[in-house]
């Protein structure tokens, strides 16, 4: 299998696993009575709430898309082991969530209108996703890359 195809397959597997673990963590946070500020991007993209099944499908697809983008285009450019690379990568979408998605959905900058804990919860859940898919994606594929 060539390197490009391997990166795509790895991205799909890592993204699916990351999305599943992230989704379970989101559910645990919600069951604990906390509000993590999730689901806003789907509302922005589609203009309405997708319902529980639609939201999960969107979440899963976004996880696979993000991890595949990372595996194909970004993984080899970042320093450190896979989990650190994934953690670094998710900072940009995390910033977009905190400073674009949450304000655009009426939840204030960083989601503080939801709860004072929302900024931390949103960051921690994004970080978990990045650590999981980065760890599964592993080391860079190009020779001589930083390990």
């Amino acid at each position: 299998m060539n390197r490009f195809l391997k990166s795509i397959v790895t991205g799909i597997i890592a993204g699916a696993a990351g999305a599943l673990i992230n989704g379970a963590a989101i559910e645990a946070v919600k069951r604990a009575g906390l509000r993590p500020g999730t689901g806003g991007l789907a509302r922005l993209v589609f203009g309405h709430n997708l319902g529980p099944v639609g939201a999960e499908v969107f979440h899963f697809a976004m996880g696979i898309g993000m991890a595949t983008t990372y595996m194909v285009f970004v993984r080899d450019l970042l320093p450190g082991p896979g989990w650190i690379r994934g953690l670094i990568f998710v900072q940009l979408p995390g910033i977009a969530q905190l400073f674009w998605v949450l304000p655009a959905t009426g939840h204030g900058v960083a989601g503080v209108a939801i709860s004072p804990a929302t900024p931390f919860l949103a960051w921690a859940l994004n970080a978990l996703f990045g650590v999981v898919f980065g760890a599964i994606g592993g080391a860079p594929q190009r020779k001589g890359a930083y390990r």
Side-chain angles (χ1 to χ4, degrees):
M1 183 179 324
N2 73 35
R3 195 176 96 181
F4 180 73
L5 185 57
K6 184 177 180 183
S7 292
I8 290 173
V9 170
T10 302
I12 292 168
I13 293 166
L20 287 172
I21 291 170
N22 177 262
I26 289 169
E27 186 60 28
V29 165
K30 288 178 179 179
R31 287 179 186 248
L34 301 169
R35 298 187 58 210
T38 58
L41 183 60
R43 284 190 301 279
L44 281 179
V45 169
F46 295 100
H48 58 84
N49 192 332
L50 299 178
V53 173
E56 286 306 313
V57 169
F58 183 80
H59 179 256
F60 197 72
M62 286 298 297
I64 290 173
M66 284 178 59
T68 301
T69 299
Y70 163 81
M71 295 300 167
V72 172
F73 299 109
V74 180
R75 173 179 54 185
D76 293 354
L77 303 174
L78 297 174
W83 70 271
I84 291 286
R85 292 166 187 257
L87 180 61
I88 293 168
F89 177 76
V90 298
Q91 297 312 302
L92 187 58
I95 289 168
Q97 178 187 10
L98 292 171
F99 297 102
W100 174 62
V101 174
L102 288 168
T105 54
H107 298 302
V109 173
V112 295
I114 296 172
S115 161
T118 297
F120 171 75
L121 294 170
W123 179 85
L125 290 164
N126 280 318
L128 173 64
F129 171 66
V131 165
V132 170
F133 80 71
I136 293 169
Q141 297 299 302
R142 66 182 166 91
K143 293 182 180 181
Y146 178 84
R147 291 186 188 258

